[in-house]
Amino acid sequence: MSETSPAGSAETPGTPDFDAMTRDIAEVPAVEVIVTVAVNLMSAAAVKLGLTEEGDKYKDLDEARKLIHALAGLLDGSATEISSFHAAPLRDGLKSLQLAFREASIVPDEPGQGPGEKYTGPIYG
């Protein structure tokens, strides 16, 4: 027998209640969603750069490149939508990740060709 959520949709144990999730996300301001996604991209990139306690265990520069590039695109695209209060620390974090990527690369990219530099301009380090 399946459980029924308060919204009346059938739900099996362990299955997310999408109606409740939709209601929850509807209450979150867009700036918070953008910042949360950016922080998640930053965290994932740091892991893929080997910057966590596990070090090289999860290091994968190809994956880090993709995550950093996506973060730069998100920040570039949302620059006019989020305030400097939110954007400044995210840009600082992005630059730190870009510099860490340059340091971790055996064959460094040309200036302007590194991850996200299409959006941020060349990063020197």
Side-chain angles (χ1 to χ4, degrees), residues 20-124:
M21 290 170 64
T22 300
R23 282 191 304 275
D24 291 344
I25 199 72
E27 297 170 6
V28 179
V31 170
E32 279 188 47
V33 174
I34 293 167
V35 170
T36 299
V37 170
V39 169
N40 285 330
L41 287 168
M42 291 173 86
S43 298
V47 169
K48 296 297 183 178
L49 285 169
L51 301 176
T52 60
E53 289 180 14
E54 293 86 10
D56 290 344
K57 182 177 179 183
Y58 299 109
K59 189 173 184 177
D60 184 334
L61 294 183
D62 184 50
E63 290 290 301
R65 176 184 294 278
K66 293 171 188 170
L67 292 162
I68 295 168
H69 190 76
L71 174 62
L74 174 65
L75 294 181
D76 183 59
S78 63
T80 59
E81 306 302 324
I82 61 177
S83 66
S84 300
F85 175 78
H86 294 294
L90 294 173
R91 278 193 226 104
D92 290 345
L94 170 60
K95 185 174 181 179
S96 295
L97 291 169
Q98 289 171 311
L99 288 170
F101 185 91
R102 279 208 174 274
E103 290 176 14
S105 295
I106 295 171
V107 180
D109 295 312
E110 292 293 321
Q113 300 301 308
E117 292 181 24
K118 168 183 174 180
Y119 302 106
T120 63
I123 300 293
Y124 300 96

